[in-house]
Every structure is written in structure tokens, then in C-alpha cells.
Amino acid sequence: GAVVSQHPSWVICKSGTSVKIECRSLDFQATTMFWYRQFPKQSLMLMATSNEGSKATYEQGVEKDKFLINHASLTLSTLTVTSAHPEDSSFYICSASHEHQETQYFGPGTRLLVL
Amino acid sequence: AQSVTQLGSHVSVSEGALVLLRCNYSSSVPPYLFWYVQYPNQGLQLLLKYTSAATLVKGINGFEAEFKKSETSFHLTKPSAHMSDAAEYFCAVSKGNQGGKLIFGQGTELSVKP
């Protein structure tokens, strides 16, 4: 149980385009989902926390207009990187947790390369 | 504020040897502590967690960790390393339930030599 999927697993796009990444909880209802960014050989940096039906809470320094997060259902959250630039290239990982539970379950990650 | 420090960005052991990955935390409230493993180009997999029950926590793949409040530590151990244990390991702390934010350590890369 507690499986989280991400789609796509990797994406290459041109500078200036937008990219949408999906995060799904496959066998549980995720009241809270988290989006992280990871640079090579570094730890995970929390970008934002999203609760189903609410606006996402962004961490300091993360541009909410650049990284649009939607959590429209208890099993799906999306991250849209708008007007992507090469510096947005990174590994994006989502996680999800049950209501009132302390454990986050992570997706397999999405590698984004912006040319 | 909460924080996590993992001592040693890289640890190398021989196959069959003891694995010890160090994690120290700071927290103003009783913490929940986690160890996750990450294989290359993959997400994180939960190894084990401490949530204020037994201080010695057993996880998957033969790993265990002991919560020591006096030392503010939560070190990860495995008696005998396997080649398949080579990966990146992350210690994390949270304030607990309701999907609390995780604060991650810097990570420790474990190499296992044949």
C-alpha cells in the first residue's frame, strides 16, 4: 500500500514553454501533498505544501506564479512549471500523506531538462 | 526550529561489514524521525520511522535505528552490508501528525566494496 506515482518520469522541453507534472496517490487518499526539488548530489528542497481543495503554501523563495500547484482531488496534485528556463532543470519529487498521518510517501520523481 | 545534521556525506564499507550512518537532530517539540533511502534517479523509500513509541526501531532490509533523546541522535545501522545497500540515505525530522513538513539532512552516500 501507499504507492505514489508521477508522470512523466522525464521530460525535455524548450525554453519558454510550460510543463505539467502529475502526482497521484494510487491506493490511498492524500489530504496533503508536497512538492520537492532536488539538485544533483544534494538533499531535497521543499517547494510547497498543498492540501486538497486549498491553495498551496509555498516555501520562502519559491515563486508561486512560476510553479503553479493544483490539488483538485484527494488522489491528484499537479505542478506546472510556467515559462520554463534552463535553470529550472532539476529532479522534481512529490510526496503524499494520509489525513492525520505522519509519514510521507514519495513518488519516483520527474527529471526536467529545459533546453 | 527543527534541523537535521548527517555526519559524513560519504561512507564506504566492505560487504559484510557494519553500516553506521549518523544523524543528529534539533527540535523544540518531541520529534518524529525518519530514514529514507534513494537509489539513483528514483524517489525516496521509507526505511523506518520513530514516532514516540519504542526507541529502537526496526525497518526494512535489515536496517534499524535507535532514538537517543539525551544525545539527540537517530543513527541508522545494519549489521552486515550488502552490495545492494549502496544508495543515498536521508534522515528527516517532522513535528508529527497531520502531514507535517519534513526537514531533511544533507544525505549520506553509502558505498559498499566487494
Side-chain angles (χ1 to χ4, degrees):
Chain A
V3 179
V4 177
S5 70
Q6 278 184 245
H7 178 80
S9 56
W10 60 269
V11 57
I12 302 173
C13 69
K14 292 182 179 180
S15 186
T17 60
S18 294
V19 174
K20 180 184 283 188
I21 302 170
E22 292 186 349
C23 177
R24 293 182 184 272
S25 56
L26 299 185
D27 53 2
F28 67 100
Q29 293 187 325
T31 52
T32 307
M33 287 185 168
F34 302 83
W35 286 96
Y36 295 85
R37 185 173 179 176
Q38 185 180 34
F39 292 104
K41 300 294 184 182
Q42 294 189 25
S43 189
L44 279 72
M45 181 191 79
L46 179 64
M47 299 174 66
T49 303
S50 74
N51 292 293
E52 185 264 340
S54 305
K55 288 185 178 180
T57 302
Y58 290 81
E59 295 299 300
Q60 193 172 8
V62 178
E63 299 176 59
K64 61 181 180 182
D65 294 329
K66 175 133 184 95
F67 298 100
L68 301 178
I69 292 172
N70 183 279
H71 191 166
S73 78
L74 286 171
T75 60
L76 174 64
S77 176
T78 60
L79 167 67
T80 301
V81 183
T82 61
S83 187
H85 289 97
E87 57 265 30
D88 298 324
S89 299
S90 192
F91 193 51
Y92 293 88
I93 307 176
C94 73
S95 71
S97 63
H98 303 266
E99 186 175 15
H100 303 307
Q101 296 294 313
E102 70 283 346
T103 302
Q104 291 183 28
Y105 299 95
F106 285 79
T110 297
R111 187 161 301 282
L112 170 64
L113 177 61
V114 184
L115 302 177
Chain B
Q2 295 181 304
S3 67
V4 174
T5 302
Q6 291 183 239
L7 298 176
S9 59
H10 185 250
V11 170
S12 181
V13 301
S14 297
E15 192 173 18
L18 171 72
V19 175
L20 170 61
L21 304 182
R22 300 178 186 273
C23 173
N24 287 88
Y25 70 92
S26 69
S27 179
S28 57
V29 298
Y32 284 22
L33 293 158
F34 305 81
W35 275 100
Y36 285 90
V37 61
Q38 184 180 33
Y39 296 99
N41 297 309
Q42 295 186 28
L44 275 66
Q45 180 182 10
L46 180 67
L47 279 177
L48 49 80
K49 62 182 179 183
Y50 166 77
T51 57
S52 74
T55 56
L56 181 61
V57 182
K58 294 187 183 297
I60 62 171
N61 301 340
F63 285 94
E64 63 181 39
E66 186 172 8
F67 172 69
K68 291 186 177 181
K69 184 177 179 180
S70 61
E71 299 178 7
T72 60
S73 69
F74 190 58
H75 302 329
L76 181 71
T77 60
K78 181 174 180 177
S80 177
H82 293 167
M83 297 296 291
S84 60
D85 294 327
E88 188 83 19
Y89 291 80
F90 291 98
C91 181
V93 64
S94 81
K95 290 184 179 179
N97 61 5
Q98 300 185 2
K101 288 196 292 187
L102 285 174
I103 307 299
F104 283 92
Q106 308 91 309
T108 298
E109 182 180 4
L110 175 66
S111 299
V112 182
K113 299 174 292 186

